[in-house]
Each structure stands twice: as C-alpha cells, then as structure tokens.
C-alpha cells in the first residue's frame, strides 16, 4: 500500500494534544482506504490512538485497508481486549488470513476474548487448505427462512448486524442449513410495498442455483463468478450439503488477479511470491526462488554442451556452421514460448481443458508447419546475408531446413507441455518459457548438427 | 461458450410441435446461463422461436449469455422490430459492444426502431475509444436527488425499471448532473423504518467519492475497484464533471482478466487476440500475429551470426569454446525473462510505477550480482563435467566468468526494458520474453567471444 506521509506531523500533533475531536473529523472526511494511506506512516501505537477516537465500525473499516504486516503488528502490540473487539468486527475471511500470520500465543489469548460463535468460526475457516474455496469464503451472510415474507426478510436484514459481507444476495436455508434458494436485495426492494408477499414466491430456487464446494480450488469459484456475473457465490459442505459461507466479488477479483500473476511468474521460472510484493520481498529469499529454477535449467543445458562436443569434428571442419546456431535455437524457443503461453492462458481462463488435447494437437501441427515454412524463408535470407558470398547457396539451405524442423517440434512441445503438466497435476504454467526454450536448445542443436553431419560434412573432407 | 448438445432433439421437437408451454418451462427451470448453453447448438431462427415463447426480460437475460458471434447472427437474421425490443432490454455497455460487430446497414435499421433515449445512449457510448472507461461503462444507473427521503429513494428504485446494472449503489446527482453523493442499498435497507429521513443525512459525499474519467484507460478502473472493493465505480466526464455511467464489478473482473492475459500473450510475442479465443481464432490470422514478431526476432538474431563470424578464427582454434555457447546465452535469457516478468506483473497490478525506477535498478544490480555469482558456480561445474579431463581448469574459468557477466547484464536489461517501454508509451509487456532473450543472445555471444579472444586465444597460437 502507498504510504502518504503528507499529514504525519499534523497527526502526531493531534495525538500530543489528545485532540479526539480532530481525530474523528480526520477519519470520517475521506474514504477509509485513503485514511489508511495517511495513517500508514505512523507507529502501531500511534495509529491505535487515532483509531480509538472513532466508533468501532469505522475503526474496523480503516483497519481493513492496512497492509497485512501493519495489521499483524497492531494486533500483536496493542491492548488484547480492544483488539478482540476489532476482530469481532472484521469479516470472517480476512480475520482468518490475518490470524494465520500472528504469533500463536497472541492468537490463543485473543481467541479466549472472542465470543464463542466467532471462535468456532475461526476454527472452521482455518480448517481448509490454502487456495480452496473454504479458505477464501466468509461465513457472514444473511440467512432467511423459506416461510418468511418480504417484510420479515427486510427486518431480518436490519437485525443481522452491519457486518454482513453482502446484503445483496440473501440466502434462504432449510431447517438442516441447506441452501433452498436465493433472494436478491434488488427483488426485495422492488416489492417493498408488498410486505406480506412470501419470499418463496419469487426466490430463485433449486435448479437455478450455482454453488461451489468448500474443498474445491478457488479457481473454480473464479470461473463460476466470471461466467454468471455474480456478486457472491455460496460455498457448500459437500458432505452434508450445508451452506458454509459466501465468496464475494472483491475476493474473486483478487483471486483471479493473483492466479494469473502466479501463472506469469511460474511460466518465467520464478516460484510464486505468495503474499509478498516485488519490491517488498526479501532480496535473498527472491534470489533463492529464482536461483532454484535457473540452476535446474542450466544443468539441463548440459545436454547442448554434450551434443556439441559429440559433433565436435563436424563443427571444426565446417567453420560457418556455428554462426547460425543461436539464431536457430532461439527461433525454436520463441515459437515454443508462444504456443505454451497461448495454451496456458486458455487453460487458466477455462477456455480449454485437458480433454481438448486432440484439437489442440491437430491445430498446432498445422500451425508448426505454416510458421516453420515462413520462418525457414526468413532463415534463408539471413544465411545468404551473412555467408552468401563465401558459401554455396545449396549448402546454406541447411539453415532453413533446420529452422523448419526446430520451429515445428518446438511449437508442438510448447503446446503439449502445459497439458502434460496439467495431466501430472502440476501447475501447467510451471516454468514453461525457459523449459520450452531449453527443449528447443537441445532439440535445435541436435537437429542442426545431425543434418549438417549427413548433408554437409561429406563435402568438407 | 460450451455448447451442450444433450437436449437438442427435445428442443427441436418442441419447435416442431409449437409447444410454447414446454419452451417456457425449459427456459425458466435453469439459470439463464445454463439455458443458453443448451440452446447454443441450435440455429439462430430456432433459438429465436424458443426465446419468443418467454417474457422479454428472460429472453434478454438468456440472450446475454450467448457468444458474441451467435448474438450477432441472431441480430442480423431475426425480425428487426423484435430484435430492437431485445436491444432495449440489453444493458447499454453490452449493446454498444454488440452493435460494433453487426453489419452497418442492420445497425441503421435497428437504430431507427430504438427509442430516442436509447439511440442517444448508443451514440454516446460508441464515441469512446476501445479500452477506455467510457467504452466500458453502462449508462444504466439509479439517479437520485439530494433532497429525497429514504421513502422517496426506495420508490425511485422501483420506478427506474428493472434494467439497471446495479441497484446496490444509488447515485445522488445535483441539478447539473454532477455526482453529489452515493447511497448504498445496504444503508437504505437498514433505514427502511425511517421513511422520512433525508438521504443527505447518511449519503457518502464529496471527499469520500472515488471516480474515474471516461477517457482514462479501463486499467485505472480495475485498479480503483481492486483497491476499494467497490461493486461499481462512477464514470465522470472530465470536461463538465457530469456523471456518465458506471463500471460494474463483473465488467471489472472481465477487464482485469483480459488485461493480464493480453500481457501474457504480448510478453511471449503474440499480438493480442482481442475478443477471439485460442481455439476459436482463425488459424491463418493467428499464424500472422505470431509470425510478425518471430520474424522481427529472427532478423534481430542476425547480430549473433555476425558476431560469431567476426570471431571465426578464435572459435576455429579453440575447439571446445562452442560447446558452452548455448548454455551461457540461455542462462542469460532465463534470468532476464525472470526479472522482466516480475517487473511487468508488478506494473500491471499497480504495485510499482515508472517513478520507482531507481529502487528497481538498485535492487536488480544486487540481484544480478548474487544470481550471477551463484550461476557462475553452476557453470563451472558444468564446464568441468564436460571438458574437465581435456582442458586445463584455468582455461575453463572462462565459462563461469562469462555466465556472471551475462546474467548480470541480462537481469538488468530484463528489469529496465519494460520500464523503458512504459516510458515510450508502449505496452511494457511487449514481447518482453523473446526480446530479452534476443538481447541476451547477442550480449552473451559477444561477451563470451570477446573474453575468449583476450584470455584464451593467445594460448592457442
């Protein structure tokens, strides 16, 4: 988060003068997110002092916009009982994420100060693995009964506190806590003058409901919300069919962006930063995340060195061969990188699945042929430009021939590798770009040297 | 969209029997998105027949879930006057996008059938460039006046038709149409029993409002909604301050995903597919999009060929040199690709901006040194494994030295290139991966051959 240090002197002045009135005016003048920006440069106990001058709901709202580092420091350093009150006001999904990063002994102390219901809730949400719908959901949603009228539903909304993540979808549960239907606030507002109408007469029920299981990956929730344009999607316990919570539009947006950024990092061979930011991450930690893949790829590249050593006597005799080696392998790497990226993004957005592999393969066979022929033409021009005056054109045809083969195979490898990773239950984006480039290097070097040995070497006795 | 062909025979049977009752039951039994899936395999006139059996609002909702290709065919092939009614019911932002793809003569005919207000609306929205907030917004939002009470606001919501994109934020406009405040449906519902309370007493006004300009890039809207967790963000005409429309959460999610996928494609050297999908795109068109960058990169690779020709006599004399060339340049390309991807994603998510360039550079100088030294170690091991028995170790130190230099410079290039593109008002993701790899190839080849000429060649007279 951006820290705005502009008002720090004034804020410290307020604290010195115990000017609660000014603190209230400051905190309510701006959007809570902007207020948080301005407070961000202060020490936790200073921030706490200013927040305490304000009503608990506003306090909680401003608090929600701090970076998680700062939130954790505030939780650990400020008075336990007041922190517990703040946590009661924090949406249940954020609360669990937050407590994950707080020292266990502090979590214990705070848990004892939370009402039983909130304590149970923390236990439930933290029982799901990271990346599942259960870990992403909030259990704060408005619960209605099937036999309610419009009037009752509306007063229920007012009764079920201000904490609800979304009052825009109201969930109708049966006696067992299973989801029986959904009423939108839109539909309710439109019937505001028909207070005695039963909600069951217009609620969306059974067949039209779209839900996700708590143990499913959160990517599933993203795909459903993207498809149906929901503000929130209900999360169900698949064992007993009970509704556990909702994942709201803002969490879906964050999850969608995080997943795609993670894919981008993975496909460049950087282990996901998780909750870290690029500039905020520890230099050594990031170096280690990058080094691991680089080292694996470098030791993979030992194959090209071995191939070149093997064909040593050919490259010695035909002096011009080496000049085109980087061009040939990099063209292969580039076309493989293109098809890998196209397949990875289509998998990530749900456009294709593993079952489309035949269509993908036949498409990429043609694509490899078209691109291979086109690039071979470019390769020939390059070869003529560099060695056209000293090497017979017939010999230089080796270059476009090698380009054609390398582009064809690299393109296919690039498209199929992510599908193979997916099949192996690995992330399809896994270091795809350098991996495909590495395969192209090996394949390209081998094809080029082999063709040279068969076609050209006999001419250089 | 996935077509579900399971029910096609039953649906065709319904059409044959003119069974309107069945068509109604079918269309209202499922979520409209699922209904659209099932209808997707039919011909436009068949789909039209089934839709016509249903009320116009449901028709419009199902229609909104078809692929744009199918929507365009339905618009062009079905009766104009009925299509015009359907378009009246289509959210204004979708309508404009749709009409963009319809034959101009059909658009003219349909425009004449639309009410004046809708016609003006189409003209306004289509006046904004693609990718701006203005092109993305919908002009269907609930307008309130400052002097309204809770009761009046609620009846206004019912009055302003069901078409509104969002009834969850209600926008309070002054006499000139400028945004004076926002009331959430949540706040309204909570005050349902205080009908005479003026909305101005609890609306969020002036300082706390976050808006975007119509001419700004839609990425700005994505960043603001991500930061503030809004359901919708108001779009303002910067010239006169009037509120023009809203961009809603679902459009923001789509835009965020599209932008990141576009970045991924661009950074692999694939021109954005725009509205096309991977499998749906024309093979020749996609081949052309890929070929352009591949060809540019291949002709860029001419530099490596020239460098290798230049150092011809060194590589001739020192036979083992060539074996390590692919390994050295690919390690450079991989580390450059990592830093480029980290910077591109951090730019895309708004974590860093151009003004952070000094911090980024100092960070990457250190990172390059750390990674360079670590990779040099790996490079030495590789060199010893391949040529340790036949070449003196002191000479093989050339390999780690070259790796260190190449990783250092490629890493820095990878981080700074996207910033340079941004500065030049190009997309920072522009073919970054192959571009950085190309720079590494050239730089790596040059550094390696130069060091070899200075340090090793004199030993091989």
């Amino acid at each position: 988060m951006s820290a705005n240090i502009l008002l720090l002197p004034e804020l410290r002045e307020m604290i010195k003068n115990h000017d609660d009135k000014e603190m209230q005016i400051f905190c309510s003048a701006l959007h809570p997110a902007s207020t948080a920006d301005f407070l961000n440069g202060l020490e936790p106990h200073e921030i706490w002092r200013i927040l305490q001058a304000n009503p608990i709901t506003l306090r909680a709202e401003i608090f929600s916009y701090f970076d998680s580092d700062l939130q954790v420091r505030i939780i650990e350093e400020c008075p336990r009982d007041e922190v517990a009150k703040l946590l009661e006001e924090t949406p249940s999904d954020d609360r669990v994420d937050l407590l994950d990063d707080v020292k266990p002994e502090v979590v214990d102390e705070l848990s004892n100060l939370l009402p039983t219901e909130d304590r149970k809730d923390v236990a439930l949400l933290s029982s799901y693995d990271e990346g599942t719908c259960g870990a992403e959901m909030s259990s704060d949603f408005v619960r209605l009964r099937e036999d309610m009228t419009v009037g009752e539903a509306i007063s229920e909304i007012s009764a079920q506190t201000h904490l609800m993540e979304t009052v825009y979808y109201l969930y109708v549960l049966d006696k067992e806590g299973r989801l029986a239907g959904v009423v939108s606030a839109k539909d309710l507002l439109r019937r505001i003058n028909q207070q005695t109408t039963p909600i069951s007469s217009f609620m969306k029920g059974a067949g039209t409901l779209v839900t996700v299981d708590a143990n499913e990956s959160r990517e599933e929730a993203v795909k459903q919300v993207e498809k149906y344009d929901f503000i929130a999607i209900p999360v169900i316990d698949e064992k007993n069919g009970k509704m556990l919570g909702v994942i709201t539009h803002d969490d879906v947006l964050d999850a969608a962006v995080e997943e795609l950024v993670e894919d981008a990092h993975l496909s460049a061979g950087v282990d996901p930063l998780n909750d870290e930011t690029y500039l905020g991450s520890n230099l050594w930690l990031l170096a280690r995340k990058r080094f691991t893949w680089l080292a694996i790829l470098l030791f993979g590249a030992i194959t090209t060195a071995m191939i070149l050593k093997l064909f040593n006597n050919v490259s010695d005799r035909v002096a011009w061969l080496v000049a085109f080696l980087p061009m040939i392998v990099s063209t292969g790497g580039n076309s493989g990188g293109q098809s890998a990226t196209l397949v990875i993004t289509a998998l990530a957005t749900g456009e294709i699945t593993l079952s489309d592999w035949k269509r993908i393969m036949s498409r990429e066979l043609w694509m490899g042929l078209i691109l291979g022929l086109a690039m071979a033409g470019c390769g020939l021009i390059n070869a003529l430009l560099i060695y056209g005056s000293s090497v017979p054109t017939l010999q230089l045809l080796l270059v476009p021939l090698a380009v054609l083969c390398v582009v064809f195979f690299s393109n296919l490898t690039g498209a199929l590798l992510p599908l193979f990773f997916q099949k192996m239950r690995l992330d399809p984006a896994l270091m795809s770009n350098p991996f495909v480039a590495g395969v192209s290097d090996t394949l390209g070097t081998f094809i080029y040297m082999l063709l040279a040995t068969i076609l050209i070497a006999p001419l250089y006795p």
Side-chain angles (χ1 to χ4, degrees), chain A:
Chain A
M1 193 183 66
S2 51
N4 196 324
I5 56 164
L6 203 71
L7 294 182
L8 291 191
E10 282 79 359
L11 290 168
R12 294 215 159 102
E13 191 68 25
M14 285 180 210
I15 297 173
K16 217 180 96 192
N17 301 338
H18 303 285
D19 194 344
D20 283 46
K21 192 78 209 147
E22 273 297 310
M23 295 179 198
Q24 282 167 27
I25 294 173
F26 168 76
C27 287
S28 52
L30 301 166
H31 189 285
S34 311
T35 311
D37 278 351
F38 280 110
L39 291 175
N40 199 26
L42 294 173
E43 288 300 307
H45 70 271
E46 293 174 319
I47 296 176
W48 189 255
R49 176 64 190 86
I50 292 175
L51 290 182
Q52 285 302 106
N54 289 280
I56 180 76
T57 50
L58 181 58
R59 240 183 277 168
E61 231 188 311
I62 296 171
F63 179 79
S64 73
Y65 287 105
F66 291 130
D67 282 340
S68 64
D69 289 357
L70 181 57
Q71 289 177 327
V72 168
R73 285 187 61 198
I74 292 175
I75 290 176
E76 293 181 346
E77 297 174 22
C78 294
R80 297 277 183 270
D81 54 336
E82 288 291 319
V83 167
K85 279 188 208 157
L86 192 72
L87 287 177
E88 274 182 61
E89 299 288 320
T90 303
S92 56
D93 51 344
D94 298 342
R95 184 168 55 195
V96 169
D97 291 346
L98 201 51
L99 289 179
D100 247 9
D101 298 329
V102 172
K103 286 184 200 142
E105 61 267 28
V106 179
V107 175
D108 282 347
E109 285 179 47
L110 287 171
S111 280
N112 292 329
L113 293 167
L114 283 177
T116 322
E117 206 180 315
D118 287 289
R119 205 157 56 221
K120 273 192 200 161
D121 195 83
V122 169
L124 172 69
L125 294 196
S126 56
S127 70
Y128 290 98
D129 292 337
E130 210 179 323
T132 62
C133 291
E136 200 72 31
M137 74 187 177
S138 158
S139 49
D140 308 318
F141 59 92
V142 181
R143 295 154 167 88
L144 303 180
R145 290 190 322 274
E146 272 178 281
D147 56 2
M148 281 181 168
T149 62
V150 168
E152 287 166 335
I154 288 174
S155 52
E156 198 61 26
I157 296 173
S158 326
Q160 292 190 25
T161 89
H162 53 276
L163 234 195
M164 297 300 124
E165 278 271 328
T166 174
V167 300
Y168 303 129
Y169 292 157
L170 316 163
Y171 298 94
V172 184
L173 305 185
D174 67 13
K175 289 196 189 65
E176 278 75 42
R178 286 183 304 239
L179 184 62
V182 177
V183 172
S184 72
K186 201 168 169 174
D187 291 334
L188 218 51
L189 281 169
R190 226 182 291 145
R191 288 174 183 81
I192 203 88
N193 297 319
Q194 313 158 28
Q195 298 260 335
T196 54
T197 305
I199 55 170
S200 57
S201 69
F202 60 90
M203 77 176 189
K204 296 206 168 87
T208 65
L209 296 179
V210 178
T211 61
V212 284
D213 285 332
N215 284 309
E216 256 174 315
S217 134
R218 65 176 184 175
E219 282 177 279
E220 188 54 32
V222 171
K223 278 178 195 168
Q224 297 299 339
V225 171
E226 255 191 303
K227 177 172 177 185
Y228 294 99
D229 296 343
F230 290 142
I231 292 183
I233 190 165
V235 181
I236 307 289
D237 184 337
E238 58 175 341
K239 285 191 297 291
N240 52 27
K242 280 189 187 165
M243 175 161 170
L244 298 172
V246 288
I247 303 180
T248 49
H249 64 99
D250 48 330
D251 294 323
V252 167
L253 177 60
D254 291 346
V257 169
E258 272 172 40
E259 292 285 341
L260 283 169
V261 167
E262 225 178 87
D263 274 4
H265 287 173
L266 264 181
S267 63
V270 181
D271 260 359
L273 303 184
N274 297 327
D275 294 337
E276 301 277 354
T277 56
Y278 164 63
L279 280 181
S281 61
N282 179 290
L283 193 69
W284 291 99
L285 202 75
L286 184 58
R288 217 184 51 205
K289 287 187 177 200
R290 295 179 55 175
F291 172 73
T292 318
W293 293 120
L294 284 181
I296 292 173
L297 292 162
L298 183 129
F299 284 107
I302 211 168
T303 49
T304 57
M306 278 160 62
I307 293 167
L308 286 169
K309 190 183 178 189
L310 191 71
F311 289 101
N312 211 342
N313 73 325
V314 182
S315 55
D316 268 7
R317 268 149 58 208
V318 192
W320 58 268
L321 270 186
V322 172
F324 301 107
L325 187 63
M327 186 190 84
I328 291 168
V329 298
S330 75
T331 299
N334 291 339
S335 53
Q338 287 181 332
S339 58
T341 304
L342 284 166
V343 170
I344 289 165
T345 50
L347 280 171
T349 57
E351 189 213 323
I352 58 171
T353 62
L354 212 51
S355 62
D356 292 312
W357 72 273
K358 275 188 194 160
R359 278 180 70 195
I360 296 165
M361 203 167 87
S362 87
R363 222 182 131 80
E364 293 303 334
L365 283 171
W366 283 108
M367 181 60 88
L369 199 64
I370 297 169
L371 281 181
L373 286 170
M375 294 314 296
C378 298
L380 178 62
I381 296 172
N382 257 6
L384 290 172
L385 282 174
I386 303 277
Y387 270 107
S389 57
S390 51
V391 177
T393 307
L394 208 61
Q395 292 185 26
L396 286 181
L397 283 178
L398 172 70
V399 175
L401 190 62
V403 169
L404 169 61
C405 297
V406 174
V407 168
F408 182 82
F409 287 112
S410 299
N411 182 65
L412 199 62
T413 311
L416 296 183
L417 205 68
L419 295 175
F420 173 75
F421 280 162
Q422 174 100 317
K423 179 84 187 165
M424 299 281 97
R425 294 175 181 277
L426 293 167
D427 195 309
L430 197 61
M431 54 163 197
S432 55
N433 278 322
F435 202 102
V436 170
V439 172
S440 297
D441 284 355
T442 307
L443 212 67
T445 307
F446 183 71
I447 291 173
Y448 183 53
M449 294 314 291
L450 187 70
L451 288 174
T453 307
I454 300 167
L455 303 174
I456 309 292
L459 307 173
Y460 292 74

